[in-house]
Amino acid sequence: MFFSSSASSKKENQKQRIVVVKSITMADFHLVPELTRHRHTVPAISDDFYNYMKLINKTDPEIMSKLLPILRTIPDSGIQLVNTKFTNYAIWIKKQSRREKITLDKQYAVLQYDEEHEIVWAVIAAKLLSIVKHRPESILTDYSAQYMLDFAPRPKKAQIKHQRTCCKPLSVLDGLKYGLKNNLPREQDWKYAGCRDICKPTGLSLFRMVGDLRPTKRLSAALSALRMIPVAAQLHVFEPDIDIVGNEIYRGPKYFESKYVGLRDVMIYATDIVDEELVAVVNFPYKRLKELRVLLDVMLVQTPREDETNDPFEELENPTCLLTKFCILL
């Protein structure tokens, strides 16, 4: 309906586009200023996206199946098609309604780091369990992430590629469920030692963990909970963007060489507003980065291209924020 090519309906279709796709312009678009506007980008996704999809022999239903989910998010900016060496991504601004600066107790943000082992799931889970047990005006008692690393059951699925054999490919959600069901010792009684094979000890004091576990994909729910407690999440990671972001704001794929490497566990412990953009401050214990600032006012989705040979990434088939799969423990 929106893209009829007949001369008689062209004027009417243009009016409909103004109504339905009125936010899809580049006038207010400053999403990725580093990108040059030549073959790496498509300035407007309405006509240009449609024409490109037609060029690679996509049918109208195929085109609308990708465009309509984007429009349903009600974008707050123009929508840019980022053409990378590997695939294409549509990226747009979607401003969050809850916009405030949140700062929690600094001791909540302290995490154990180990670049040699896959430990982040346990470290974040143990920190959240410790925080929920923490009483105001008292010293925070950390409970043992090592205990979860040692004794949480290994999943039946295959090891992650390039992962050390002693590491367990578990999630923060797995760690929280294990801690709530099995209880944990204090960190001082079962200290960090990395991934290893060890037998369960006898006579070790275990403490009951408490909390109401609420997994969600809703960023608004995560921001509401963040007023009280840090929130675990998973971050869509692109290289080299994550390698070179430094103290700047991470915005997802920006370069022709940008490559999606998957989801990584993080812990959100603050928000900030920088030049009217809402930013999450997260613990990101990868690639020597201990803190990362992630733009919350952005969404993206993988889009087809003519030379696509691989299946689309499952995590990017539908519109998503950079942070997703939140774990709230209250």
Side-chain angles (χ1 to χ4, degrees):
M1 178 175 68
F2 303 126
F3 300 103
S4 172
S5 58
S6 65
S8 61
S9 62
K10 183 175 181 180
K11 188 173 182 179
E12 180 63 25
N13 287 336
Q14 287 176 338
K15 292 180 180 179
Q16 291 174 341
R17 286 180 198 154
I18 292 173
V19 174
V20 179
V21 201
K22 63 182 179 180
S23 64
I24 304 183
T25 65
M26 294 299 292
D28 61 341
F29 190 65
H30 61 284
L31 186 62
V32 283
E34 294 84 353
L35 285 167
T36 55
R37 296 186 181 181
H38 46 81
R39 67 187 181 91
H40 295 173
T41 63
V42 177
I45 203 170
S46 52
D47 289 334
D48 288 341
F49 179 80
Y50 177 78
N51 292 335
Y52 176 78
M53 294 284 273
K54 277 294 189 183
L55 185 65
I56 61 176
N57 299 317
K58 298 296 182 182
T59 65
D60 278 6
E62 288 175 317
I63 296 171
M64 296 310 294
S65 70
K66 185 59 67 173
L67 182 56
L68 285 177
I70 297 175
L71 298 180
R72 289 191 186 106
T73 69
I74 314 177
D76 293 314
S77 77
I79 301 176
Q80 188 171 22
L81 188 64
V82 179
N83 178 9
T84 74
K85 182 179 179 180
F86 309 96
T87 189
N88 288 353
Y89 303 99
I91 305 179
W92 62 99
I93 292 294
K94 175 59 182 175
K95 290 186 178 294
Q96 300 302 313
S97 57
R98 183 184 295 275
R99 310 186 67 77
E100 59 183 323
K101 184 174 181 178
I102 301 174
T103 304
L104 298 176
D105 192 325
K106 290 184 178 180
Q107 61 182 332
Y108 291 174
V110 179
L111 294 182
Q112 173 76 45
Y113 292 86
D114 187 338
E115 297 177 10
E116 300 299 322
H117 298 277
E118 299 284 344
I119 69 165
V120 178
W121 62 271
V123 169
I124 293 177
K127 178 61 72 173
L128 293 178
L129 289 164
S130 302
I131 293 170
V132 168
K133 284 183 69 69
H134 182 226
R135 296 290 179 267
E137 310 300 329
S138 65
I139 298 175
L140 176 67
T141 298
D142 283 312
Y143 291 88
S144 177
Q146 184 63 49
Y147 194 84
M148 286 190 282
L149 290 170
D150 289 336
F151 306 121
R154 186 182 299 275
K156 295 180 180 179
K157 62 183 179 180
Q159 292 286 327
I160 297 175
K161 189 177 181 182
H162 305 311
Q163 185 183 53
R164 293 170 63 104
T165 56
C166 60
C167 295
K168 298 175 182 177
L170 296 174
S171 67
V172 174
L173 182 60
D174 294 326
L176 291 172
K177 288 180 177 179
Y178 179 84
L180 291 170
K181 181 179 179 180
N182 296 275
N183 303 329
L184 299 175
R186 294 176 299 182
E187 173 71 24
Q188 66 190 56
D189 298 327
W190 198 256
K191 295 182 179 180
Y192 179 75
C195 297
R196 61 185 179 178
D197 293 319
I198 190 172
C199 295
K200 272 197 174 183
T202 58
L204 181 66
S205 296
L206 299 180
F207 296 85
R208 180 172 176 265
M209 298 293 107
V210 298
D212 180 13
L213 182 55
R214 302 179 187 179
T216 181
K217 292 184 179 180
R218 294 174 51 237
L219 177 56
S220 58
L223 292 176
S224 180
L226 191 63
R227 289 177 166 183
M228 301 172 284
I229 190 170
V231 174
Q234 290 195 317
L235 174 70
H236 291 289
V237 174
F238 294 85
E239 295 177 344
D241 308 78
I242 206 74
D243 300 312
I244 60 180
V245 66
N247 294 323
E248 300 299 317
I249 298 172
Y250 178 66
R251 301 172 180 274
K254 299 194 298 184
Y255 308 105
F256 184 63
E257 297 294 331
S258 295
K259 180 180 180 181
Y260 185 64
V261 296
L263 291 166
R264 297 290 184 269
D265 289 315
V266 298
M267 188 176 79
I268 311 170
Y269 65 89
T271 59
D272 199 1
I273 298 177
V274 181
D275 296 331
E276 299 185 356
E277 293 182 317
L278 185 62
V279 176
V281 184
V282 307
N283 280 108
F284 184 76
Y286 301 92
K287 297 181 178 295
R288 301 184 183 278
L289 286 174
K290 294 188 176 182
E291 180 180 287
L292 184 68
R293 288 144 56 89
V294 180
L295 183 62
L296 295 177
D297 291 333
V298 67
M299 296 190 74
L300 74 159
V301 68
Q302 187 175 359
T303 57
R305 60 192 274 170
E306 186 175 16
D307 59 350
E308 198 80 66
T309 57
N310 299 321
D311 293 332
F313 296 112
E314 181 180 354
E315 301 92 337
L316 298 174
E317 283 189 293
N318 298 304
T320 177
C321 298
L322 290 174
L323 288 165
T324 186
K325 294 185 177 180
F326 305 99
C327 273
I328 302 170
L329 187 69
L330 297 174

